[in-house]
Amino acid sequence: MGQVVNGGFVMGVTGRTRLLTVVCASLLLPLAGCGLSSGTGHSTNDDVRELAYPERVERVGWEWEVPEGARLVDTVPVPVGIAVLLDDGFVVLAGDTGEELWEYRAGEDARAAYASHLGDYLAVEIEDPEDGSALVELDPSTGEVLQEVAVEEATSSDRGIDEGSFSRNVADGVRVARDPFDDPALRALSLETGEALWVQEEPPECTTVDGPSRDTTAASVLGEVVLEGFFCTGGEDGAGLLGRNLATGEELWRFEEDFGPSEPDLGAPERRYDPLTDRYLAERTLNGPTRVFDVVTGELLGEWEGAVIGVLEDESVVVLYAEEGEYRREDLSGEVLNAMPIPSGASRSEYPAVLEGGVIGHGRDTRDQEVQVWFHAWGNDGEPSAIDVSDAALEDDKAALSTTAVPGAVVLSYSEDGDEGREVLLGLT
């Protein structure tokens, strides 16, 4: 799925921050000391095996259930498998076996968490009753504390981590923030100091249309690139996407489009931006084409009428054509390389996971609502291969389901509603 784009920006420490470099032994046992609060459970991994993404999957290789009393917030691929973010910290599982490799769980001291798109940066913010607030950066493969930095105050006053106190718009200790109710339009903040590294006071100006009213509509971080969606209106309407340097905010490239004269009471069409790999981004528009960008160069790879759900190593794209009921693999010119039917009962709310060897999807049987999972290999014109998940007892027909490709496996996430609901991860290998 491409090579990780590693950032190279290092932030210095100012007078309002005291830096505590923590050196911890790489042992699979709870750590005492190392600047940790007494309520923190911490173990590390000294047997690092960085894994490749699977080309195909055939069976349930492992099952892992969220510990009692904890809640699942999100999951993040890391080089050794998958990082599971709970409401009190991270647990990292080996992608191929599901073995718990390391954990950092701060209990009631946890306040916020941060993870880059591919998990090469992980951090937890804690509020210790004795030592105050601190940002703890963790090695994603070993779980070792790379550094612990005291901060003036915690990001959130609420105990525990939830979706509101977890950010994926980070890389190398830099978080990109956008507040639609306050200027500036965009800023990059050092997680270590809380200070702005750069500030974009105003949204970008459109260069192709005369639209004096403008706004930043979206911002995200992919590798060393900050992606900013924007639009202009008033007289004429236009919109665009630009890439900025994470360290400096410098504009690297931009793409713009002209919608023509403004229409009263109509804003710019809403756009959604989905990372397909560490390098490729899909721009989706309701009832419009999907565009795919190389975020490093800014190159527009093409437009597709279906929903592009993946880019493979040879730069062929995987497209879901819902009306035609097909998955297709196409080259950048639009030539169809492979096509296969979407199985009956496939989820309409979640995209399938794309592998080099095929597509793995999920859904429910239309008769008894049992969970179904299948793998359909490219070039196989027959029925997809069913993967038996019956032993996992995924019986709640209202539970949320999703699939995510990570190093070593495709992970099926099953989450029942309510405080007492089961939350289970299945590693498909």
Side-chain angles (χ1 to χ4, degrees), residues 101 116 172 179 210 272 281 312 349 412:
L101 298 178
S116 56
D172 299 324
D179 186 349
D210 181 16
R272 186 160 56 93
L281 181 86
L312 303 182
S349 60
L412 174 70

Side-chain angles (χ1 to χ4, degrees), residues 213-245:
S213 176
R214 62 189 198 271
D215 193 13
T216 289
T217 58
S220 59
V221 177
L222 205 54
E224 294 180 321
V225 180
V226 179
L227 300 158
E228 181 178 5
F230 63 95
F231 78 90
C232 303
T233 188
E236 294 179 288
D237 291 341
L241 174 70
L242 61 82
R244 296 188 183 278
N245 182 285

Side-chain angles (χ1 to χ4, degrees), residues 108-123:
E108 294 185 350
D109 293 343
R111 292 294 186 271
Y114 307 94
S116 56
H117 174 61
L118 284 186
D120 54 335
Y121 178 88
L122 300 179

